[in-house]
């Protein structure tokens, strides 16, 4: 299977069961899921898990990523520090669709203490079903990318 259909999944300790549920769901959709853990509920630091997922995507090893922490916010902030990553936290399906269509987001972040499992799966589906629209949105995404070289 090529990187185009490979997706990385990661989280901190707040959300292991939901991450595994999401990973199974994505696999059932036909993606090769790279679940980089963690596997125990022992307290762990979300920045390293956000970075690890982000590097998989930034390197091209995985096309997309889904990451989780309690709020989805901290792990999103860490992932977005890696050049090439555009990650948004979504608690609704509209936002999950739009970050793909307009922002060409390559990682979706979910707050496991914010949304229930059913909504989380719908959010993942909305993200995976959407495609970047390009055009005027590509110009804006290029402006985001340009910020990486200015820091
Ligand atoms: C861990 O308790 C919690 O701080 C983390 O999962 C996340 O919500 C941070 O943004």
């Amino acid at each position: 299977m090529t990187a185009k259909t490979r997706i990385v999944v990661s989280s901190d300790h707040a959300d292991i069961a939901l991450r595994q549920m999401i990973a199974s769901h994505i696999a059932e959709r036909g993606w090769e899921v790279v679940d980089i853990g963690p596997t125990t509920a022992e307290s762990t630091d979300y920045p390293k898990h956000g970075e690890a997922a982000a590097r998989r995507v930034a390197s091209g090893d995985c096309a997309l990523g889904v990451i989780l922490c309690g709020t989805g916010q901290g792990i999103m902030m860490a992932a977005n520090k890696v050049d090439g990553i555009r990650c948004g936290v979504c608690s609704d399906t509209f936002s999950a669709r739009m970050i793909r269509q307009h922002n060409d987001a390559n990682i979706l972040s979910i707050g496991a203490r914010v949304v229930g499992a059913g909504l989380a799966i719908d959010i993942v589906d909305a993200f995976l079903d959407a495609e970047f629209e390009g055009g005027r949105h590509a110009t804006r995404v290029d402006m985001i990318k340009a910020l990486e070289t200015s820091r």
Side-chain angles (χ1 to χ4, degrees):
M1 208 175 276
T2 66
K4 204 172 174 194
T5 53
R6 190 178 301 135
I7 187 163
V8 61
V9 177
S10 184
S11 72
D12 71 0
H13 56 278
D15 29 58
I16 290 172
L18 181 57
R19 189 196 76 236
Q20 291 172 337
M21 188 183 303
I22 287 171
S24 297
H25 177 75
I26 296 173
E28 281 166 16
R29 290 184 50 130
W31 287 73
E32 180 188 356
V33 177
V34 181
D35 187 341
I36 58 172
T39 53
T40 72
E42 190 181 337
S43 183
T44 184
D45 302 319
Y46 59 80
K48 65 184 182 188
H49 301 291
E51 182 196 358
R55 297 224 178 271
R56 292 279 187 146
V57 175
S59 70
D61 179 51
C62 294
L64 296 174
V66 177
I67 57 179
L68 304 95
C69 67
T71 59
Q73 301 291 351
I75 200 164
M76 173 274 289
M77 292 177 196
N80 274 323
K81 291 295 183 186
V82 175
D83 282 0
I85 297 306
R86 290 174 301 284
C87 176
V89 181
C90 295
S91 300
D92 64 276
T93 56
F94 176 77
S95 298
R97 189 167 71 248
M98 295 307 285
I99 65 169
R100 286 289 301 132
Q101 289 181 346
H102 285 193
N103 312 119
D104 199 18
N106 44 20
I107 300 186
L108 166 69
S109 182
I110 295 175
R113 295 173 179 160
V114 181
V115 300
L119 179 54
I121 294 291
D122 283 354
I123 288 168
V124 168
D125 282 341
F127 181 74
L128 295 181
D129 287 341
E131 287 187 14
F132 182 48
E133 290 178 356
R136 69 184 189 282
H137 303 297
T139 306
R140 293 164 183 161
V141 171
D142 284 346
M143 292 170 73
I144 295 174
K145 290 177 182 171
L147 295 171
E148 292 172 354
T149 56
S150 70
R151 64 186 177 200

